[in-house]
Structures are given as structure tokens and as C-alpha cells.
Amino acid sequence: MTPALTFLFALACGAIAANLYYAQPLIALIGPDVGLSPHVASLIVTLTQIGYGFGLVLLVPLGDVIENKRLIISSVCVTTVALVLITLAPNSALFLVAALFIGVASSAIQMLVPMAASMTDESTRGRTVGNVMSGLMVGILFARPLAGFLADIAGWRGVFVFSAVLMTALVVLLGKYLPRRHPGGDHSYGELLASLWAILRDTPQLRRRGLYQVALFADFSLFWTAVPLELAGSPFHLSQSGIALFALAGAAGALAAPIAGRLADRGMVPIGTGVVIVGTLLAFALAGIGAAWSSILLLALAAILLDLFVQSNTVFGQRVLYMLAPEIRSRLNGLYIAMFFIGGAAGSALASPVYESFGWKGIVIAGMAFPAIAFPYYLTEFLPKRRKSV
């Protein structure tokens, strides 16, 4: 893994991940244009996320048996076609089908990350994974503000035209520079899917790291779904452009990934995990203080810290899992991401009803509850019997 190749992996992960989030700030524009009522407009985002979940379970395991370069490029090609269909969609049916396929094919992200880990020696694996994951985080965090700015210039369809062009360029780059990797597995597709439950059942590290990340990623989704509502109302009254600029502050969280990777390589995953769980709780407490004091700076600092801690824990978990059996690395990664994807869905689902019923204080309390529940479980990691098996 040369620096240039690491950059290509990071760029690809970020560009693909952004497709999952472009529509989030554009629902109010897309819904009426394709004939979706406000009551069901959230399907625009929900179907993409559901598709991503399907891809993690149905496509990512193929990385253990199919030549990785061909699999990844094929997935990006499907994404490109789906983006073109979205730009041309005259009605909600075509739009929603295309959105579902964007989600499914975007699971190529989680083929790239274990591939990068497989190409790196054990002593620097955490650093490499961290660098690649920083690209992924940049894509997630920049997608929403970028979509807002582009929509102001070229309309919501222009956002997806931009992404289709970007995916086309990415296919060319991956075709030229991505190395081939033959995983060597000889399982049938049915055997791959059947093995997922056995891997989850027999890998305590996967369950533990997945549960940590479920709690923290729930907080990530809870915060970023609710904070635009808080910023748009009193006392901040930010415009869509102002909210987009606030979202850019969270991009600093991408800096955590390389640092977390280096810490993981030095054997600091156990203590680092405790720090990020407690830190996530404190970040939400700071967000509560920021809103109470009408301080946009404290809210932005809370957002940066939250993203730093959540991203760090993602890398810690992947470093642990990638040290396990290489022959099931893609399936381990797919299960891990699918687990905390459930946490993210829960956080997003809670955001609107909690904010509507209890305001920002309710969001803060809910946000502090997730890591507060995870921390006692984390402490069991240090019990003598647990340390041998987890």
C-alpha cells in the first residue's frame, strides 16, 4: 500500500459514501418534483439506507470468494447507472427504485476497506485502515453541505449529475490503478450467506465491537439528524447555507481516523475504547450547554468531538477484526458495519419524535443514554474470564 494507492482507496470510499447522504438535505426539493407527499418523502433517504444494509449482507461477503477489483468496479458501475436514472426520473417509482440500487451498490465501500487491510502488513494495518476510513468520513460529512450548495446552483438533479460524472471518473481510476486481489475462497454463494450467522455466533470480538459501535453510531445519527432542526429555529435561525457551513465543522472528525489507527497499532485499543465512549457522552453534554447558552461555537465543538470519537471507535473495531481470520475478513467487515448501521437507523428514527416532544434537551438526554449504557458493558472487558474470550 503506497501513499498514492492509500489515497485512491480513501478517495473511492469517500466519493461512494457521499451517495448515501446527498438526498438527505434535499428531501423538500425532491419530494414535490417526483410526486411524493411530505408524509412519505423520507422514503428518499430510507430506501437508500435499506439498500445499503442489503448490500452489506448480500454483496460484501462476495469479497471473500470473487476477485475484488472486478467486484468493486462492477458495483461502482451499477451506482453510476442508478445515479443517471435518478437524474432522469419523471416519477417517484423510478426514483425510489434507483435510490434503492444506489444503496445496494454503495456497499462497495466495505469491499475496499478489507481489501486495503489485506494489502498491509500487520504492524501498520491500523494506520492504513485509519487513513482509508478518513476518506470515508470526509465523504459522509461533506455530502450534505455539498448537496446544499450544488442544489442552489444547479437544482437537485444537478447534484446527482455531478455524482454520476464523479463515479464515471472513479471507474476509470480504479480500472487503471486498483490491483487485483484473488481471495482464494471456494464457497458457494449460499454457503457464504449461511456462514454469516455462524461467524456472528462464534466471534465474540465481533459482537463486542459491534455493540460498542451501535451505541456510538446511534449518537452520530441522532445528533446530525436533529441539529439542523435546532439550528433552523430559535435562537440560531440559520439558513440552509448556514446549516451547511455548520456541517463542514464536523468534517474535522475525519482527522481522527489516522490518529486512531496509529494508536491501535500501538496496542491502545482497550483504553482508547473507554475514552471514546466517555468522550461521546461528554460531547452530548457540551451540546446541551451550547444550546442553553445559545453558543454556536460550543455546538460546533461538540459536533467535532462527537465525530472524532465515533470515527475513532470505528477504526478501533476494524483494527481488532482485521487481526482475525483473513479468509473471512469481508464477511466480518460486512457484519460489523451492518450491526452499527442498525444503531444509526435507531438514532435517526428517534431524532424527530424526541425533538418534537422534548426539544433539544430530549436529544441531549437520549444522546447521553447510549454511551451510558455501553460503558458498563465495556468494563466487563476487563473481567478475567471475559478478557480470555473477548
Side-chain angles (χ1 to χ4, degrees), residues 208 211-212 215-216 273-275 277-278 281 368-383 386 390:
R208 179 172 286 277
L211 288 172
Y212 292 156
L216 269 60
T273 300
V275 170
I277 291 174
V278 174
L281 188 152
M368 295 175 71
F370 284 112
I373 293 170
F375 189 71
Y377 178 61
Y378 160 74
L379 293 178
T380 67
E381 191 169 335
F382 299 93
L383 296 177
R386 279 287 184 188
V390 180

Side-chain angles (χ1 to χ4, degrees), residues 15-67:
I16 297 169
N19 291 318
L20 300 170
Y21 295 92
Y22 284 135
Q24 204 166 46
L26 306 177
I27 291 175
L29 299 176
I30 297 172
D33 202 21
V34 298
L36 283 173
S37 71
H39 298 291
V40 296
S42 61
L43 283 174
I44 292 168
V45 175
T46 302
L47 277 178
T48 304
Q49 300 292 333
I50 290 173
Y52 187 62
F54 280 134
L56 290 172
V57 175
L58 300 177
L59 286 187
V60 171
L62 291 172
D64 288 332
V65 294
I66 293 178
E67 196 280 307

Side-chain angles (χ1 to χ4, degrees), residues 67-151:
E67 196 280 307
N68 287 185
K69 179 176 181 177
R70 178 160 56 93
L71 183 61
I72 290 167
I73 291 178
S74 298
S75 299
V76 179
C77 287
V78 171
T79 303
T80 307
V81 172
L83 287 165
V84 171
L85 290 177
I86 273 188
T87 65
L88 301 175
N91 54 55
S92 60
L94 182 58
F95 184 99
L96 293 175
V97 169
L100 180 68
F101 274 93
I102 286 175
V104 172
S106 292
S107 63
I109 302 161
Q110 302 307 333
M111 305 170 194
L112 284 159
V113 178
M115 183 180 178
S118 298
M119 295 170 59
T120 310
D121 63 85
E122 185 174 311
S123 63
T124 60
R125 186 164 292 151
R127 183 186 311 174
T128 299
V129 170
N131 288 334
V132 173
M133 288 297 292
S134 67
L136 170 61
M137 198 65 177
V138 167
I140 292 173
L141 294 172
F142 272 95
R144 285 176 286 244
L146 179 60
F149 292 135
L150 288 176

Side-chain angles (χ1 to χ4, degrees), residues 40-379:
V40 296
S42 61
L43 283 174
I44 292 168
V45 175
T46 302
L47 277 178
T48 304
Q49 300 292 333
I50 290 173
Y52 187 62
F54 280 134
L56 290 172
V57 175
L58 300 177
L59 286 187
V60 171
L62 291 172
D64 288 332
V65 294
I66 293 178
E67 196 280 307
N68 287 185
K69 179 176 181 177
R70 178 160 56 93
L71 183 61
I72 290 167
I73 291 178
S74 298
S75 299
V76 179
C77 287
V78 171
T79 303
T80 307
V81 172
L83 287 165
V84 171
L85 290 177
I86 273 188
T87 65
L88 301 175
N91 54 55
S92 60
L94 182 58
F95 184 99
L96 293 175
V97 169
L100 180 68
F101 274 93
I102 286 175
V104 172
S106 292
S107 63
I109 302 161
Q110 302 307 333
M111 305 170 194
L112 284 159
V113 178
M115 183 180 178
S118 298
M119 295 170 59
T120 310
D121 63 85
E122 185 174 311
S123 63
T124 60
R125 186 164 292 151
R127 183 186 311 174
T128 299
V129 170
N131 288 334
V132 173
M133 288 297 292
S134 67
L136 170 61
M137 198 65 177
V138 167
I140 292 173
L141 294 172
F142 272 95
R144 285 176 286 244
L146 179 60
F149 292 135
L150 288 176
D152 282 341
I153 298 171
W156 70 264
R157 294 180 191 268
V159 175
F160 295 100
V161 169
F162 164 80
S163 186
V165 172
L166 183 59
M167 290 300 101
T168 302
L170 184 60
V171 167
V172 174
L173 287 173
L174 293 175
K176 185 172 183 179
Y177 297 110
L178 191 67
R180 295 190 177 277
R181 176 179 177 266
H182 298 272
D186 57 357
H187 301 288
S188 69
Y189 185 61
E191 289 172 336
L192 277 178
L193 296 184
S195 70
L196 294 177
W197 167 247
I199 292 172
L200 180 62
R201 180 194 63 206
D202 299 335
T203 313
Q205 297 97 325
L206 171 61
R207 297 195 302 273
R208 179 172 286 277
R209 297 309 314 187
L211 288 172
Y212 292 156
Q213 192 65 4
V214 164
L216 269 60
F217 204 70
D219 268 3
F220 177 88
S221 294
L222 177 71
F223 180 89
W224 285 108
T225 303
V227 77
L229 303 174
E230 177 69 9
L231 294 175
S234 177
F236 301 105
H237 300 293
L238 293 188
S239 64
Q240 286 300 312
S241 295
I243 293 172
L245 288 173
F246 179 91
L248 288 176
L255 299 175
I259 298 171
R262 285 167 173 78
L263 292 174
D265 286 338
R266 295 175 184 174
M268 298 186 70
V269 169
I271 187 66
T273 300
V275 170
V276 298
I277 291 174
V278 174
T280 301
L281 188 152
L282 295 177
F284 261 90
L286 182 62
I289 295 171
W293 292 358
S294 302
S295 172
I296 194 74
L297 291 178
L298 287 181
L299 268 179
L301 178 59
I304 292 170
L305 292 174
L306 175 67
D307 290 354
L308 283 168
F309 294 136
V310 174
Q311 178 66 359
S312 295
N313 195 61
T314 305
V315 174
F316 289 156
Q318 288 178 311
R319 176 62 164 79
V320 170
L321 297 179
Y322 292 161
M323 297 301 290
L324 304 178
E327 66 275 8
I328 61 170
R329 190 167 283 151
S330 287
R331 280 168 283 175
L332 281 171
N333 190 62
L335 286 169
Y336 176 60
I337 303 300
M339 286 179 72
F340 75 72
F341 175 83
I342 294 171
S348 296
L350 282 173
S352 293
V354 169
Y355 187 83
E356 185 176 345
S357 300
F358 305 105
W360 187 250
K361 288 182 180 179
I363 295 295
V364 170
I365 293 171
M368 295 175 71
F370 284 112
I373 293 170
F375 189 71
Y377 178 61
Y378 160 74
L379 293 178

